[in-house]
Amino acid sequence: KNQVEQSPQSLIILEGKNCTLQCNYTVSPFSNLRWYKQDTGRGPVSLTIMTFSENTKSNGRYTATLDADTKQSSLHITASQLSDSASYICVVSADSNYQLIWGAGTKLIIKP
Amino acid sequence: KAGVTQTPRYLIKTRGQQVTLSCSPISGHRSVSWYQQTPGQGLQFLFEYFSETQRNKGNFPGRFSGRQFSNSRSEMNVSTLELGDSALYLCASRGINTEAFFGQGTRLTVV
């Protein structure tokens, strides 16, 4: 069964600190993996997209990694800001049917 | 280039009623997907339409239905509303090999 699991479910850190969010998937055949940021009450916005051959991709203070062998991805946020408070969702695309398999997300709260 | 537009933004309905939500995708995008998001839950996939045909379907009861028109605009209908249907309903459009772009969502409250 195609599944995407994220951890932790929620995370509270102080402003300026770094954090890492995890995503494990069992989607096959794998097409690509995306990380989305969703502010409360709004639609998700894409942060990064990674294909099978990519190990690391950065977008400003966000760095995503992908290990296609272990089927794990992480999103590292550096020097967190209050505006980083949001849900971060890992989404895996299956090659076979165009469907996106969504993780439940990690709710990140940045405290001043 | 206009983004994904969902209407209405907010809606209050009573149990037993039915509701129709609308989604206008980004110009040129032919894929429209619908998701339900309840407090504390991840996005639950409802269905995806591509060129007026339902291409994928999630595990929702038959009360949830949708359609897509020739201009790619899509509607989602929920009949016989239940309290548990209160949620944020998100629509996403995709072009060929592009990411999903989301609308602002419709917040449905069933009382």
Side-chain angles (χ1 to χ4, degrees), chain A residues 97-99, chain B residues 45-49 53-58:
Chain A
N97 60 3
Y98 313 103
Q99 191 169 345
Chain B
F45 173 71
L46 281 153
F47 29 66
E48 179 195 9
Y49 284 87
T53 301
Q54 190 178 85
R55 183 159 72 175
N56 281 300
K57 189 177 188 303

Side-chain angles (χ1 to χ4, degrees), chain A residues 33-103:
Chain A
L33 183 148
R34 294 181 170 96
W35 283 93
Y36 279 83
K37 178 186 179 187
Q38 184 180 20
D39 293 313
T40 302
R42 304 178 75 87
V45 175
S46 177
L47 291 173
T48 66
I49 176 172
M50 303 185 74
T51 58
F52 187 86
S53 59
E54 295 176 300
N55 299 119
T56 304
K57 184 170 280 190
S58 291
N59 177 1
R61 294 179 297 101
Y62 300 102
T63 299
T65 64
L66 175 65
D67 185 334
D69 291 330
T70 61
K71 298 187 177 182
Q72 295 180 327
S73 176
S74 66
L75 180 70
H76 186 74
I77 303 174
T78 304
S80 62
Q81 300 175 359
L82 296 178
S83 59
D84 293 332
S85 293
S87 288
Y88 292 84
I89 309 170
C90 174
V91 188
V92 179
S93 178
D95 221 0
S96 57
N97 60 3
Y98 313 103
Q99 191 169 345
L100 301 179
I101 296 95
W102 294 77

Side-chain angles (χ1 to χ4, degrees), chain B residues 21 28 31 46 49 54 70 72 80 85 92 95 98-99 108-109:
Chain B
L21 312 182
S31 164
L46 281 153
Y49 284 87
Q54 190 178 85
S70 58
S72 293
T80 320
D85 296 334
T98 70
E99 66 184 86
L108 172 65
T109 302

